[in-house]
Amino acid sequence: MMSPKITYEYERITDIKRLNFITDSLKDTIPANATILDVGCGNGVISRHLGQFGYTVLGIDVSEKTIAVARSKNTLPNVQFEVISAEALIAQGQQYDAVICSEVLEHLHQPGVLLHTIYQSLRDNGTLIVTVPNGMGPREVFVTKPMLSVRKSPGLQAFVNKVKGLLGYSGTTVQSQADNLDHVQFFTKKDLQQLAAENKFEIIRFAKTNFVEDVFPFSLLTKRVKPLQAFDCQVAEILPLACTGGFNTVWKKK
């Protein structure tokens, strides 16, 4: 019998690269019938993708708006979505073969609190996949941090938002439609390793994402020309880890 065709909701090459990193890492470390918790699942793109491989997936988020979107797009019986915090979920005593925490920690003022909860939610031989932007990478330095400064001036922010709208940029992403997507953490490799160690984890693999394809003004062109996105991801692979736009990582309990 032929395996079902795997489909992708993401269109950006960087997002697809991240998704493939997650699925490939899980295939190498967890059983085929594994249970997976997707923390901060947003619109549920990752959860639904993993469900295509037969995993039993629970996607959770505290945003009712994003969970409503996730449920509306879901057709898989082995994938469920709930509006609940990870802290409230752990009270139910369930443990998982793998936990996904993708593009979440950078939004939290106290990421260690979530990681403490994840530690309890993960089986002893389980796998934690964490992806975060590189806090000193091109996008965070040249886009995210300047935009956070712009927010201090309502008039300037309104002008910038108007220009962004004219250029085709929206305030949401494919992954999440939460009202606030600000970054409050800017992790280097060392920061991430220290955070893992403080919460009884060890990072066993670091991988790269892209380089400058999502940095304005390059993004004006790359968002319309996919081969340039693919080329940028390839460039990231030959540059030092410090130059990557984001970190894709695999964690294990110590």
Side-chain angles (χ1 to χ4, degrees):
M1 180 181 296
M2 294 183 62
S3 300
K5 182 180 179 181
I6 301 300
T7 60
Y8 289 84
E9 296 181 50
Y10 284 134
E11 294 185 357
R12 288 178 66 234
I13 301 300
T14 304
D15 293 332
I16 293 173
K17 183 178 182 182
R18 182 187 308 113
L19 200 55
N20 287 340
F21 172 88
I22 292 171
T23 54
D24 291 346
S25 298
L26 293 180
K27 287 178 183 178
D28 291 340
T29 57
I30 64 175
N33 61 344
T35 56
I36 299 175
L37 176 65
D38 185 5
V39 176
C41 67
N43 294 344
V45 180
I46 295 174
S47 295
R48 289 189 295 275
H49 186 78
L50 295 176
Q52 294 181 91
F53 295 89
Y55 298 121
T56 299
V57 187
L58 173 62
I60 64 171
D61 204 296
V62 294
S63 169
E64 294 185 3
K65 182 188 296 186
T66 59
I67 291 298
V69 173
R71 287 172 173 167
S72 70
K73 295 184 176 183
N74 186 39
T75 60
L76 298 170
N78 54 316
V79 178
Q80 303 293 324
F81 295 101
E82 297 292 340
V83 181
I84 188 173
S85 69
E87 291 81 3
L89 183 67
I90 191 59
Q92 301 176 12
Q94 178 70 37
Q95 285 194 315
Y96 298 84
D97 296 298
V99 177
I100 311 299
C101 188
S102 180
E103 309 303 292
V104 173
L105 296 183
E106 67 272 17
H107 301 287
L108 305 179
H109 288 284
Q110 295 180 299
V113 173
L114 176 59
L115 288 171
H116 175 73
T117 301
I118 288 175
Y119 186 92
Q120 298 174 71
S121 302
L122 186 65
R123 293 195 171 101
D124 287 343
N125 61 345
T127 297
L128 170 60
I129 307 292
V130 174
T131 77
V132 294
N134 173 7
M136 293 302 294
R139 177 175 171 80
E140 297 295 84
V141 170
F142 295 112
V143 178
T144 304
K145 292 179 180 178
M147 286 304 299
L148 289 175
S149 297
V150 165
R151 287 176 181 262
K152 298 177 182 178
S153 171
L156 181 57
Q157 181 181 349
F159 173 75
V160 170
N161 288 343
K162 184 176 181 179
V163 173
K164 287 173 64 179
L166 292 173
L167 294 174
Y169 295 95
S170 67
T172 62
T173 68
V174 175
Q175 185 155 323
S176 178
Q177 289 180 283
D179 294 326
N180 189 337
L181 295 174
D182 285 352
H183 293 183
V184 297
Q185 301 287 345
F186 297 92
F187 298 107
T188 63
K189 178 183 179 181
K190 183 178 180 181
D191 293 333
L192 210 55
Q193 289 174 318
Q194 181 176 340
L195 181 64
E198 289 172 351
N199 291 279
K200 299 187 287 187
F201 284 102
E202 178 183 7
I203 303 177
I204 63 171
R205 184 184 175 195
F206 272 89
K208 305 168 184 175
T209 56
N210 59 352
F211 181 40
V212 294
E213 65 100 349
D214 52 3
V215 176
F216 185 85
F218 303 107
S219 57
L220 285 175
L221 184 58
T222 56
K223 69 183 295 189
R224 295 171 173 83
V225 185
K226 279 192 176 182
L228 288 179
Q229 297 178 22
F231 176 72
D232 187 76
C233 285
Q234 292 171 354
V235 169
E237 291 299 322
I238 64 175
L239 293 174
L241 184 65
C243 296
T244 184
F247 300 123
N248 295 333
T249 63
V250 179
W251 302 32
K252 288 286 189 178
K253 284 185 172 182
K254 285 187 174 180

